[in-house]
Amino acid sequence: KGPLCFASIRCKERRAIQDRWRGLQGLEGRHASVFTGLAMSGGGMRSACTNLGLMEELDRKERFSWFDYLSSVSGGSYAAAHL
């Protein structure tokens, strides 16, 4: 096989999100071309606590299904690992 094409990888990733992740969530038809992410910032334990509070609120309002991606750094990674 030759080198991978970025456009091909992106297409496969989007298809996996649309078909599998959103399918499991029961959201197959939700804005097929719109993908959203949740970013948890860093800053040590204060950031971890803030992000945990954010996650509690998202869970309380049943909003986790709105996100297709999760990104975190430093203290935000503590909260992301918990998720």
Side-chain angles (χ1 to χ4, degrees), residues 5-61:
C5 171
F6 179 74
S8 173
I9 294 170
R10 185 174 181 192
C11 181
K12 289 178 184 178
E13 177 185 30
R14 288 179 173 260
R15 194 170 333 141
I17 289 171
Q18 189 66 36
D19 296 343
R20 295 185 198 132
W21 166 246
R22 291 183 179 178
L24 289 171
Q25 300 284 330
L27 304 169
E28 296 91 342
R30 188 189 86 188
H31 306 289
S33 63
V34 177
F35 293 82
T36 58
L38 175 63
M40 296 184 175
S41 66
M45 289 308 295
R46 286 179 292 182
S47 173
C49 293
T50 299
N51 285 307
L52 284 171
L54 167 70
M55 289 188 340
E56 286 180 357
E57 188 65 13
L58 288 171
D59 184 50
R60 188 177 72 76
K61 292 186 175 185

